[in-house]
Amino acid sequence: MINFRRKFARQIIHLRIYIILICVILSVFFISVLKDIRIETRLEDFLPQRHPFIKVQHRLTDIFGGLNQVSVSLEVEKGDIFDGDFLEKVISLTEDLYLLEGVNISRINSIASRHIKHIVVNKEGFFVERLLRLPPKTEKAMEELKTKVLVNPNVYGKMVSKDLKSILIQVDFESKAKTSYIFNSLQELKRKYEDNNTKMYIAGRPILEGWLNFYLPRMFKILIISFIVISLVLYLTFRSKRGVILPLVDSSMATLWGMGVMKLLGLRLDPSTILVPFIVLSLGISHSIHTLKRYYEEMRNPKMKSKHAIVNTMSHLFMPGLACVLTDGFGFLSLGLVPLSTIKSMAMASGFGILANFFTSFMFTPCILSFMHKPKILEIEQEERHNLVDTLLAKLSIFSLSKRAGTIVVSIFCIVAFISLFGIKNIVIGDNTEGSSYLYPDSPYNLSETFINKNFGGTNSYYIFAQSNDSLLKKDTLGAMDSLQSYLTQEIPQAGSSVSVVNSIKALNMFMFEGGPQYFKIPDRNDIIAQYWFLYTISGFPSDYDHLISRNEQYANIKFDFKDHKSTTVDLAVEKTKEFFDKYKFENIKFYYAGGDIGVLYAINDIIKKTIVPNVLFISLLIFLYVSFIYHSFVAGWILLLPLIFSNLIVFSLFGFFRTPITTEMLPLACLSEGLGINYGIYILARLYDEINEKKRTYKNILYHTLITSGKAVFFSGFIVSLGIFVWVFSSILLQVRLGLNLCLSLILNMITSLIMIPVLVWWIKPRFLFKRVRLRQKRRAGI
């Protein structure tokens, strides 16, 4: 194997010009591929298409149009909404919403909507009129409008707040609508209608994604600062231009290749996964540091030629480097199995970018180094001048060989692992805040969502689909729908309001009895229901109830508005819905759940729950089998896997202890934690293996030399990348802050556990694959 690695290294150096040219040509090609790349969000990218709830969502969309809800509220500062100027704004705003591209016209619900009607029944007949077509011109007309609002339970409290200070407009968009267009259009309307006496609040998933798009420039600024910080620390580490430029160039090249492959596959990045390229960059820098550290180590010999140093460096790093990029790359690519377009994009960009690191960090960089002049002895001395780090690593090597080290480390491992289990039990999958956990509580979006949830039913939709072979406008089928609405509204505290065709039938019945609230109920007879519906359809417009029931009366939807989308609320909604259908059985009607924001979030959370553990186990198994194969020992696999398990237990337990939600954006953390953790361990174990097999020293000297060489490289690669990522905590986006803190913590923990646990476990276990030669030497010395 050693001969093969040296031959491979010599062949690479022999073909170095061609390899550099290939890397440059590929980079130019991918730059041309990425020249028109656009970072955008489409709502369908977040849908796990094969989940049964999403199938219900698609069925609802096919029949009733797009259900991607945006909630818009207008609030008056002085007085109440019954003001001519304010109502003029409401009417104008509603009409402007009808003109937006991708809007579901039948699902614009406002007091000024074309299908929101007032019914008058008197001796002269049955009359249907729009609730608000034009603002009233007289005081009397304004009072009449106020009365119409107050007596209508489908309007008062749902479209008009109880304090009469604000109105709510809910508008749905098609799935293919671009969030950037929705967000920009509504922000323009906000600027148009807000003034000193009028405030406008906008919430909903499309708006949240729009805000993330809006914050992209700030995210890029933080990433640029991270890049600068990493560059400065690289310079302080290597004290040379090549020590800064080469790691940044080769890791950037790998990132470029990964994103190019993603683009060629027809995938795209969005604001929630834009940090992924930086993760690839970080991994690439980590590998490059090991390459440069080993190169400088080889160049300590004054007689060593640069090419020979490069060959030695490549031959020693071939196996650990290949092991690292394969486990990291396939770990990220495994996320491609997650049925979310946004995760597939992240998996492809990360996976192929990390695999490309092998060519850039272990082939391109050595080839460039072979053309560069030999580093001056002063440069080498400056690179090695890390007295404090050397002292710490030397003490660590002494500790690792003590008799009590194994007992202490294993005992700590068991205690911390046991405590971590309590944190892991409390892990929250999905959001756990009333607004969005992506943004700070005082962000414009979260303030808007808080206002709407406080004054109206809520901003988070939940749909249930109803179907019958006959007309749904029958007493028993309407009663079944009414029972479901009442049950969920009572059982789920966060359910602020509900609406279906049942509400309309009840309102028709109430108006038939001069608006008496006691008559807001389903009529007792089917023929009366049919009469009411017939009278309305000949007086109103056929499309007035298209948002609630199909024209053939066989399909309907029940919509609930929830005041938050916490994972507990989402789970409770589905649990109580299932409980209702298990408890009650109905004839002539079938129900299917769940659509809307709550249904989609449940589907996404369900995918995360089913994905994260198998993904971690898959990467762990891949690591274990690969390491066991290259060292011909299962013990080697366990020695690398145990520190990884330990650090992951701590990282994920902190998610539970601090109630940090695990969302789709956190999935890369699992892969990165596994990848970097095993990288550190592989480099240390590989160096130990090489030192034991190649040099006739005592194990004490071998361990010391391993830690102040590869151990030092592990320390600086972990320190440099974690410091760059730590800059994220200064971001104005809470998502980036959380990712930064968790990634930084994960990097440091993996670095520390690898430096401490691997030397201790090796000495404690004394595995045969490592100590076979040491024992043979001891026997020869003893003359056995």
Side-chain angles (χ1 to χ4, degrees):
M1 180 61 75
I2 294 173
N3 290 332
F4 167 77
R5 287 185 285 173
R6 293 194 71 83
K7 286 180 181 178
F8 176 80
R10 288 194 188 101
Q11 193 65 25
I12 293 298
I13 297 303
H14 180 68
L15 300 171
R16 54 187 173 165
I17 294 176
Y18 301 103
I19 289 171
I20 292 170
L21 281 174
I22 290 170
C23 290
V24 171
I25 290 168
L26 278 174
S27 299
V28 172
F29 168 72
F30 284 122
I31 287 172
S32 67
V33 169
L34 294 169
K35 65 181 180 181
D36 59 343
I37 191 171
R38 299 175 67 183
I39 299 169
E40 60 181 12
T41 305
R42 292 184 183 176
L43 300 171
E44 58 190 8
D45 291 345
F46 293 87
L47 303 181
Q49 302 294 345
R50 289 175 287 180
H51 196 280
F53 284 11
I54 302 305
K55 292 178 181 178
V56 174
Q57 174 82 354
H58 288 324
R59 199 170 180 194
L60 283 162
T61 301
D62 291 340
I63 296 172
F64 302 104
L67 304 178
N68 297 297
Q69 180 175 287
V70 173
S71 298
V72 181
S73 180
L74 279 180
E75 179 193 25
V76 62
E77 290 283 310
K78 298 177 182 178
D80 58 28
I81 69 164
F82 297 103
D83 172 79
D85 292 337
F86 183 81
L87 292 176
E88 181 66 51
K89 289 181 182 178
V90 174
I91 295 167
S92 181
L93 173 58
T94 305
E95 291 301 319
D96 283 341
L97 291 173
Y98 278 108
L99 301 176
L100 296 181
E101 292 180 16
V103 72
N104 183 349
I105 292 175
S106 67
R107 300 199 69 89
I108 298 178
N109 293 314
S110 159
I111 58 172
S113 293
R114 298 164 193 174
H115 64 268
I116 301 300
K117 306 292 178 65
H118 177 70
I119 299 170
V120 178
V121 181
N122 54 35
K123 294 178 182 179
E124 296 178 7
F126 184 95
F127 302 96
V128 177
E129 60 185 20
R130 279 181 65 174
L131 178 64
L132 181 62
R133 183 189 296 273
L134 296 170
K137 300 297 184 183
T138 64
E139 249 185 63
K140 182 181 179 182
M142 189 67 77
E143 283 300 317
E144 288 176 355
L145 173 64
K146 186 174 182 179
T147 301
K148 292 175 184 177
V149 167
L150 294 175
V151 300
N152 192 335
N154 291 333
V155 174
Y156 182 55
K158 293 183 178 181
M159 298 182 191
V160 175
S161 63
K162 294 284 187 179
D163 62 1
L164 305 179
K165 297 281 290 182
S166 56
I167 61 96
L168 177 68
I169 304 174
Q170 290 183 321
V171 52
D172 290 352
F173 290 86
E174 303 294 339
S175 297
K176 293 183 179 180
K178 293 182 179 179
T179 54
S180 56
Y181 170 77
I182 297 172
F183 177 79
N184 292 332
S185 298
L186 288 169
Q187 290 301 315
E188 284 181 18
L189 292 177
K190 182 175 182 178
R191 288 189 289 271
K192 178 179 178 181
Y193 291 107
E194 269 196 337
D195 57 32
N196 294 332
N197 196 41
T198 309
K199 283 189 177 181
M200 189 167 167
Y201 303 89
I202 314 171
R205 181 75 189 191
I207 303 304
L208 173 60
E209 296 296 337
W211 275 113
L212 292 178
N213 278 321
F214 175 81
Y215 286 125
L216 266 179
R218 300 186 193 182
M219 295 175 78
F220 281 126
K221 283 181 182 178
I222 293 294
L223 292 181
I224 290 169
I225 294 171
S226 294
F227 196 83
I228 293 170
V229 169
I230 288 175
S231 302
L232 288 173
V233 182
L234 279 172
Y235 180 76
L236 293 174
T237 301
F238 290 104
R239 306 283 181 171
S240 66
K241 294 176 182 177
R242 74 182 80 190
V244 177
I245 295 171
L246 286 178
L248 294 177
V249 169
D250 72 45
S251 54
S252 299
M253 193 180 291
T255 305
L256 188 70
W257 294 7
M259 291 182 67
V261 170
M262 176 203 70
K263 180 78 169 6
L264 290 174
L265 291 173
L267 300 168
R268 59 183 173 270
L269 286 177
D270 58 67
S272 59
T273 57
I274 191 60
L275 300 176
V276 169
F278 190 84
I279 292 173
V280 179
L281 187 81
S282 302
L283 283 165
I285 289 171
S286 178
H287 294 310
S288 297
I289 289 171
H290 284 276
T291 301
L292 285 167
K293 278 283 183 184
R294 186 69 190 223
Y295 170 73
Y296 276 113
E297 183 187 338
E298 294 289 338
M299 292 304 297
R300 278 187 303 181
N301 184 349
K303 297 179 181 179
M304 179 67 71
K305 293 181 179 180
S306 186
K307 284 185 183 179
H308 291 161
I310 293 295
V311 169
N312 290 341
T313 298
M314 290 181 67
S315 62
H316 282 100
L317 294 181
F318 176 83
M319 288 305 294
L322 183 62
C324 289
V325 296
L326 285 178
T327 51
D328 294 352
F330 285 109
F332 271 96
L333 286 174
S334 68
L335 287 176
L337 300 174
V338 178
L340 291 173
S341 180
T342 184
I343 297 299
K344 288 181 186 293
S345 299
M346 179 193 68
M348 294 303 107
S350 304
F352 285 109
I354 291 166
L355 291 175
N357 274 324
F358 182 77
F359 299 97
T360 59
S361 296
F362 301 110
M363 293 171 68
F364 174 79
T365 292
C367 288
I368 293 293
L369 279 171
S370 69
F371 279 110
M372 299 179 74
H373 62 79
K374 184 178 178 178
K376 297 176 182 178
I377 192 67
L378 179 62
E379 184 179 329
I380 296 172
E381 290 175 354
Q382 286 179 331
E383 187 276 329
E384 291 182 339
R385 195 179 298 157
H386 302 292
N387 296 329
L388 178 60
V389 177
D390 288 348
T391 302
L392 289 173
L393 292 173
K395 288 182 178 179
L396 182 59
S397 70
I398 296 169
F399 168 76
S400 301
L401 297 173
S402 66
K403 294 180 179 179
R404 292 184 299 172
T407 306
I408 292 170
V409 169
V410 172
S411 299
I412 292 172
F413 173 87
C414 293
I415 293 169
V416 174
F418 179 74
I419 295 171
S420 298
L421 294 176
F422 292 96
I424 291 171
K425 281 176 62 178
N426 295 322
I427 282 179
V428 177
I429 304 293
D431 226 333
N432 65 348
T433 57
E434 290 188 5
S436 171
S437 62
Y438 294 175
L439 304 173
Y440 283 101
D442 60 350
S443 66
Y445 177 83
N446 278 334
L447 291 175
S448 292
E449 190 159 315
T450 300
F451 177 84
I452 295 172
N453 288 330
K454 178 183 177 182
N455 291 281
F456 300 96
T459 59
N460 305 281
S461 61
Y462 179 56
Y463 284 92
I464 295 174
F465 181 72
Q467 178 181 354
S468 175
N469 293 327
D470 195 5
S471 173
L472 285 166
L473 299 175
K474 300 288 181 65
K475 180 186 175 183
D476 58 340
T477 51
L478 291 172
M481 295 169 69
D482 191 35
S483 299
L484 175 59
Q485 285 181 247
S486 300
Y487 186 84
L488 294 187
T489 304
Q490 291 169 8
E491 292 292 322
I492 306 171
Q494 295 82 6
S497 64
S498 66
V499 63
S500 73
V501 70
V502 175
N503 298 69
S504 302
I505 295 295
K506 286 181 176 181
L508 287 171
N509 189 63
M510 182 184 73
F511 286 121
M512 285 293 184
F513 291 92
E514 300 180 346
Q518 68 272 26
Y519 294 105
F520 188 74
K521 62 181 182 178
I522 300 170
D524 296 329
R525 290 162 37 196
N526 288 334
D527 59 332
I528 294 177
I529 295 171
Q531 288 174 24
Y532 289 172
W533 197 252
F534 174 74
L535 286 170
Y536 184 90
T537 53
I538 62 173
S539 303
F541 288 95
S543 62
D544 282 353
Y545 288 111
D546 281 357
H547 63 297
L548 299 176
I549 189 168
S550 62
R551 298 285 179 92
N552 63 8
E553 301 173 3
Q554 292 182 340
Y555 306 105
N557 68 78
I558 303 170
K559 180 199 171 193
F560 299 84
D561 282 317
F562 283 36
K563 292 185 177 293
D564 66 59
H565 54 261
K566 294 180 183 178
S567 58
T568 50
T569 302
V570 171
D571 291 342
L572 183 63
V574 175
E575 178 190 329
K576 289 299 178 181
T577 304
K578 184 178 183 300
E579 183 182 285
F580 176 83
F581 292 129
D582 289 342
K583 189 181 293 187
Y584 303 104
K585 304 297 178 184
F586 302 100
E587 296 180 359
N588 304 321
I589 187 171
K590 291 182 179 179
F591 293 98
Y592 301 91
Y593 64 97
D597 298 332
I598 299 298
V600 169
L601 287 172
Y602 184 91
I604 293 172
N605 295 345
D606 191 40
I607 291 296
I608 296 173
K609 289 174 186 176
K610 292 177 180 177
T611 301
I612 193 164
V613 173
N615 185 259
V616 170
L617 291 176
F618 170 77
I619 300 171
S620 300
L621 180 63
L622 186 69
I623 291 166
F624 178 77
L625 292 177
Y626 187 80
V627 172
S628 299
F629 171 75
I630 61 176
Y631 290 113
H632 307 290
S633 170
F634 288 120
V635 177
W638 282 113
I639 287 174
L640 283 182
L641 207 56
L642 285 174
L644 185 64
I645 292 170
F646 178 72
S647 58
N648 280 345
L649 281 173
I650 297 175
V651 169
F652 283 101
S653 70
L654 293 176
F655 274 89
F657 285 130
F658 293 115
R659 307 297 290 175
T660 302
I662 294 182
T663 58
T664 51
E665 293 75 22
M666 288 292 182
L667 282 179
L669 179 65
C671 291
L672 186 66
S673 182
E674 295 262 322
L676 280 171
I678 204 63
N679 288 358
Y680 298 147
I682 285 173
Y683 281 120
I684 292 172
L685 191 64
R687 186 58 183 257
L688 266 176
Y689 186 82
D690 286 346
E691 291 286 331
I692 287 174
N693 282 279
E694 293 178 12
K695 297 177 182 177
K696 296 179 181 180
R697 296 175 179 168
T698 63
Y699 180 71
K700 180 179 179 180
N701 288 332
I702 287 171
L703 178 60
Y704 170 76
H705 193 254
T706 296
L707 288 180
I708 63 167
T709 53
S710 291
K712 189 191 291 186
V714 164
F715 175 83
F716 280 108
S717 63
F719 175 73
I720 290 168
V721 176
S722 60
L723 190 62
I725 291 175
F726 183 74
V727 176
W728 297 3
V729 301
F730 301 105
S731 173
S732 56
I733 303 144
L734 191 56
L735 168 66
Q736 194 174 17
V737 173
R738 283 178 169 167
L739 271 173
L741 285 173
N742 285 295
L743 285 175
C744 190
L745 178 64
S746 177
L747 285 167
I748 293 170
L749 278 173
N750 279 304
M751 177 188 72
I752 293 172
T753 52
S754 295
L755 287 171
I756 295 175
M757 288 191 70
I758 288 178
V760 169
L761 288 173
V762 167
W763 182 246
W764 202 47
I765 298 170
K766 295 183 177 65
R768 191 171 182 273
F769 80 96
L770 278 176
F771 281 82
K772 183 180 178 181
R773 287 181 180 270
V774 175
R775 291 185 182 117
L776 284 172
R777 288 189 206 125
Q778 289 174 344
K779 286 180 180 180
R780 285 171 188 161
R781 286 174 190 157
I784 299 174

